[in-house]
Amino acid sequence: MYDTLIKNGTIVTPSEMFKADIYIKDGKIAAVTADASYDAGEVIDASGRYIYPGFIDTHVHSRDGGATYKEDFYHSTLAAAAGGITMVFEMPNAVPAVINKESFEAQKANLESKANVDFAMWGLCIGKMNNDNLQELSDCGVGAFKFFWGYAIRKDNYNLVYNYDPSDPNVIPPMDDGEVYSIFKAVAKTGRPVAIHAENADLIKELTGKINPADYPNEYEALLACRPNTAEALVVNTAIQYSKDLGTRLHILHSSASETVDLIKEAKAEGLPVSGETCPHYLCMTNKDYDHIGPMIKCYPPVRTQKDQDALWEGIKDGTLTSVCSDHAPHTEEEKNGSLFRIPSGMCGLETLAPLMIQAVNDGKITKQQLAAILSENPAKLFNLYPQKGSLNVGTDADITIVDFDRHYKVDRMKFQSISKVTAFDGMEITGKPVRTIVRGTTVMADDKITIDHPAGKFIKA
Ligand code: DOR
Ligand code: ZN
């Protein structure tokens, strides 16, 4: 007797697509078979629907602790469940910042008490202040290390400073490239990837000091002029060179510029251990959308031009970019009002990531199987969690996202599970949606409704 049977669906992985039934027992995939003749306690009819290895979002800032008025882990993981995401990777820039074993243990306990889906954790690199702690963090099971290249951080808690003022004594200025080299060296010893936010602070400072916003058609174009493609390409280039010198595995976060795709492609062709991701806002919007979306569109790096968007799609199609993630970065609506240069960057993304990528399948931009690659298999592989996560192999965790490619719906930010309702996609009509989210055999969302009443997500050691 099995616990659950999912019948009549079509199974999709990057390598296969076929009709079969899935049996689940004790939270694991027990059988994948065309023979639906066994008994199960719960029977889910997936006729006309597609069954994916649970979607994974590797880039989530839940603000817990530190800024729980914007978001917390309980709500972000409800948003994940609602959006068809069975596992999130929590970014380390919270309070406490995850910089050593002690802060890791504290944050893990905090997150475990609130997780509605499974989660893994990132470690944070803060240069010489924690290069010696990276091995202990690796031993704790962080999936990878994040480095916010180009950002100043607060002295008291190492959190990001959105508007850097060099005269502020409470702030650590952006690190120079020499110190970053020491980070790459320290990360290399752990064998795990370093993932970078790629923006060159010196160039941005120079340009921001020189431009006159009045010379641009709108404030967004002025912002873009201060954070040009070159600011990203410079950092990606340096990072690839460091990776080549030191053997550090390198992952480029939220790629936004066409140059980044070219650089990653060349690095891969050279056989370097370099990978890259991008996000729906870069794939589904351009600078032109600022006119009707307004400040909610602001994120760093910024949403760029049609040419960049086209290059990012090409990068996904040819496998240069291997994953798409949300960069879920909630802020309050009040915070998002004001000068584009001052307001914080980022928006909610957990509930729109999968629908937008499913829509992309319907639009012919990617195939159903590529969707399984970018949202399931590749994220798991990047962090050495495959096949426990990211597969439908017998014996692995029964994390499953069931997709209805025909389901029409309109994004309504007020219905978000997240505390913050900030998104650039409000009101968008989308065809295609996850209709069921299953975490280790338990349905956490079915037909738009959260179906659990207590957090049962688990920390997954990478
Ligand atoms: O737009 C962004 N917001 N980009 C980042 O890299 C950080 C994030 C945040 O944490 O607010
Ligand atoms: Zn981020």
Side-chain angles (χ1 to χ4, degrees), residues 41-262:
E42 178 193 28
V43 178
I44 299 166
D45 186 4
S47 301
R49 291 173 169 178
Y50 291 78
I51 300 171
Y52 281 83
F55 292 153
I56 300 171
D57 188 347
T58 57
H59 196 146
V60 174
H61 302 267
S62 298
R63 316 295 192 204
D64 192 339
T68 46
Y69 64 97
K70 301 180 197 231
E71 182 69 303
D72 61 31
F73 202 56
Y74 180 78
H75 288 87
S76 69
T77 51
L78 279 185
I85 308 293
T86 56
M87 178 176 189
V88 298
F89 279 63
E90 181 59 17
M91 280 294 173
N93 56 323
V95 182
V98 181
I99 54 165
N100 53 28
K101 184 169 192 286
E102 193 190 353
S103 50
F104 170 89
E105 294 296 352
Q107 182 64 332
K108 174 172 165 267
N110 173 38
L111 300 179
E112 248 166 358
S113 69
K114 302 170 186 168
N116 289 297
V117 299
D118 282 357
F119 69 100
M121 288 168 64
W122 288 85
L124 184 67
C125 291
I126 50 171
K128 53 183 173 299
M129 293 171 289
N130 86 333
N131 280 340
D132 291 340
N133 301 100
L134 301 186
Q135 188 56 51
E136 72 188 31
L137 277 171
S138 175
D139 296 341
C140 288
V142 298
F145 295 98
K146 166 124 187 204
F147 175 56
F148 286 94
W149 206 316
Y151 267 100
I153 50 178
R154 279 173 53 170
K155 262 188 192 154
D156 57 347
N157 62 19
Y158 311 113
N159 269 244
L160 301 186
V161 174
Y162 292 106
N163 293 300
Y164 171 47
D165 168 7
S167 68
D168 185 343
N170 303 314
V171 158
I172 301 166
M175 278 164 227
D176 66 36
D177 288 357
E179 188 163 3
V180 179
Y181 190 81
S182 79
I183 292 176
F184 273 60
K185 206 168 171 175
V187 175
K189 288 192 200 134
T190 70
R192 295 194 188 272
V194 64
I196 58 162
H197 179 108
E199 285 189 291
N200 183 290
D202 292 334
L203 179 61
I204 292 168
K205 191 169 91 195
E206 168 70 14
L207 296 170
T208 310
K210 296 261 158 70
I211 76 129
N212 176 6
D215 294 340
Y216 293 84
N218 62 39
E219 210 188 4
Y220 193 78
E221 295 305 324
L223 184 81
L224 264 191
C226 299
R227 308 184 92 94
N229 290 33
T230 304
E232 184 168 305
L234 272 176
V235 171
V236 172
N237 209 8
T238 306
I240 289 173
Q241 196 59 43
Y242 285 1
S243 158
K244 188 171 173 174
D245 272 16
L246 298 165
T248 321
R249 286 171 64 194
L250 170 66
H251 183 67
I252 311 297
L253 299 163
H254 39 49
S255 308
S256 71
S258 65
E259 288 83 348
T260 300
V261 182
D262 294 339

Side-chain angles (χ1 to χ4, degrees), residues 2 4-13 16-25 28-38 51-53 391-400:
Y2 293 97
T4 305
L5 160 63
I6 306 172
K7 64 173 190 181
N8 302 329
T10 301
I11 296 196
V12 192
T13 70
E16 293 176 297
M17 188 155 82
F18 57 98
K19 277 198 156 298
D21 300 319
I22 295 189
Y23 289 90
I24 299 170
K25 175 108 183 131
K28 305 275 183 201
I29 309 265
V32 179
T33 167
D35 178 8
S37 59
Y38 306 103
I51 300 171
Y52 281 83
S391 88
L392 293 173
N393 295 357
V394 170
T396 66
D397 287 353
D399 292 351
I400 291 169

